[in-house]
Amino acid sequence: MKKIIALSAALASTVVIAVSCSTSNHFRLIDEKHVIAPDTVAVIAGTGAHSNKRLVDFLTDDLNKGGKFRAVSQERIAQAIPGYPGKLVDFPITEKEHDKPVLPDTIKPVLSAISRTLRVKYVFLVWHDVVLTKYSPSKLTLYAHTYGRFLEYPKGEIRAYSYIKAEESFWLLPFTSDERIDQYADEFYKNLAGKIVRTAYERIEASKKAK
């Protein structure tokens, strides 16, 4: 991510304060009576955008670190699926559909084929609708609208979904490099991935106890 406005002096090298907020369902179960048994999963980027790729990288890492799901590496997915990551998601989501598990029938056969190719029980499709970066002389603010669809195979049913409007601001000191700004962006997506995975485990454990 490169600087997109010119400032009279180079901006920041160190984060002083990070302020974040979000409006979200990080991981909502569609049927809380259905228990999701952790197994193999592929986290699939819905687009080829750098921000989407970084988010699925962190999601894959966090799922594996959790010790329950076995997430396929992004490298293996790229080897198995020609052109991955690319523009898999090419459908609009209306304002009324933001917080609903919308998924067109046209994309379901593609995800089913991915599950068979990778031999996984779950596919977690994740993508951004909006990604913005704003600069001021003293602050960097990142915004993202993120969606997720967690499908179980072989039935191909959506078991959970995500909708997150995330925002995080970093106060800057003088003389920041582009490399450091890239690190801020990574921190933003890492934090987002961490919240999704923690919520997923919490919801899954709660559904087991409820049953």
Side-chain angles (χ1 to χ4, degrees):
M1 185 183 298
K2 299 297 182 181
K3 285 185 287 187
I4 53 178
I5 64 171
L7 301 175
S8 58
L11 295 178
S13 61
T14 312
V15 173
V16 180
I17 301 172
V19 179
S20 63
C21 64
S22 64
T23 302
S24 61
N25 284 309
H26 286 91
F27 195 87
R28 174 176 283 184
L29 300 178
I30 291 177
D31 180 1
E32 295 188 1
K33 294 181 181 178
H34 178 85
V35 175
I36 295 175
D39 204 305
T40 51
V41 60
V43 184
I44 301 297
T47 74
H50 177 75
S51 58
N52 202 168
K53 290 187 284 186
R54 294 305 289 145
L55 179 57
V56 298
D57 283 342
F58 290 124
L59 283 168
T60 299
D61 289 345
D62 283 357
L63 284 167
N64 280 325
K65 289 175 184 175
K68 295 181 180 180
F69 285 97
R70 299 190 303 280
V72 179
S73 72
Q74 291 297 304
E75 290 78 10
R76 183 185 157 199
I77 295 172
Q79 290 171 357
I81 303 174
Y84 179 84
K87 192 171 183 180
L88 183 60
V89 172
D90 60 357
F91 54 89
I93 293 187
T94 67
E95 182 110 11
K96 293 181 179 179
E97 295 173 332
H98 279 175
D99 199 17
K100 295 179 181 178
V102 176
L103 191 65
D105 289 338
T106 53
I107 199 173
K108 292 178 181 179
V110 177
L111 297 179
S112 181
I114 288 173
S115 75
R116 292 193 301 272
T117 299
L118 297 174
R119 297 181 181 180
V120 293
K121 184 173 182 179
Y122 301 105
V123 170
F124 192 14
L125 175 66
V126 181
W127 75 98
H128 298 303
D129 180 271
V130 175
V131 178
L132 294 173
T133 305
K134 292 187 177 181
Y135 291 90
S136 73
S138 61
K139 188 169 68 173
L140 166 69
T141 303
L142 299 169
Y143 305 86
H145 291 186
T146 303
Y147 300 87
R149 303 290 183 264
F150 191 90
L151 295 91
E152 181 178 346
Y153 290 92
K155 291 185 177 181
E157 295 182 355
I158 301 175
R159 296 301 186 187
Y161 68 98
S162 306
Y163 170 56
I164 306 129
K165 290 174 65 175
E167 173 185 340
E168 192 160 3
S169 294
F170 300 88
W171 298 109
L172 307 176
L173 295 176
F175 311 113
T176 294
S177 64
D178 286 343
E179 180 181 0
R180 189 58 175 159
I181 289 175
D182 287 345
Q183 292 173 356
Y184 300 159
D186 274 356
E187 183 175 339
F188 176 66
Y189 295 116
K190 183 176 179 62
N191 290 343
L192 181 54
K195 289 176 183 177
I196 292 171
V197 172
R198 285 194 302 273
T199 304
Y201 278 126
E202 289 169 3
R203 297 284 170 83
I204 290 169
E205 287 302 314
S207 70
K208 289 179 182 178
K209 292 177 182 177
K211 189 172 183 181

